[in-house]
Amino acid sequence: SLSLNQATATFEMPAGRSEAAKVQDGRMTLDFSRRTFATSLTMSSATGGSTDLRMGGDIRSNGTFNVVDADQRLGGAVSLNGQEAGYWFERNVVGGLFRGKTLWGR
């Protein structure tokens, strides 16, 4: 398991407007024997409300990962020693898009 060390996010609305968003309740686990990851976090902003990001998938042999579904996507990498990971994310919601970056560590 990794802990969320840093995160930045915005909520982007039509016509190019955006506002700062909070990221909290982050969780990330890595399974090196199966080469998989799972992550979740909660995003919120005044206009966008609150929503969750929950994703998981395979970690490639070079340490990178990328997952896309209908409403959310993320891409990132695990450090060579497995002690850190980072990813960017996007989560579509009614009225806009949450977009951000995270940094995780042991």
Side-chain angles (χ1 to χ4, degrees), residues 24-28 37-43 50-57 67-74 87 89-91:
Q24 55 196 32
D25 300 328
R27 301 191 192 304
M28 185 169 194
F37 78 97
T39 189
S40 65
L41 50 85
T42 301
M43 302 150 288
S50 180
T51 191
D52 294 328
L53 174 91
R54 296 183 191 284
M55 298 195 87
V67 181
V68 176
D69 71 18
D71 294 319
Q72 52 192 5
R73 56 203 141 281
L74 67 79
Y87 64 78
F89 65 86
E90 293 181 343
R91 173 77 162 96

Side-chain angles (χ1 to χ4, degrees), residues 20-63:
K22 279 177 111 175
V23 175
Q24 55 196 32
D25 300 328
R27 301 191 192 304
M28 185 169 194
T29 57
L30 306 173
D31 184 333
F32 292 108
S33 63
R34 294 188 174 147
R35 289 176 135 169
T36 60
F37 78 97
T39 189
S40 65
L41 50 85
T42 301
M43 302 150 288
S44 61
S45 76
T47 305
S50 180
T51 191
D52 294 328
L53 174 91
R54 296 183 191 284
M55 298 195 87
D58 296 328
I59 301 172
R60 295 182 193 95
S61 60
N62 65 0

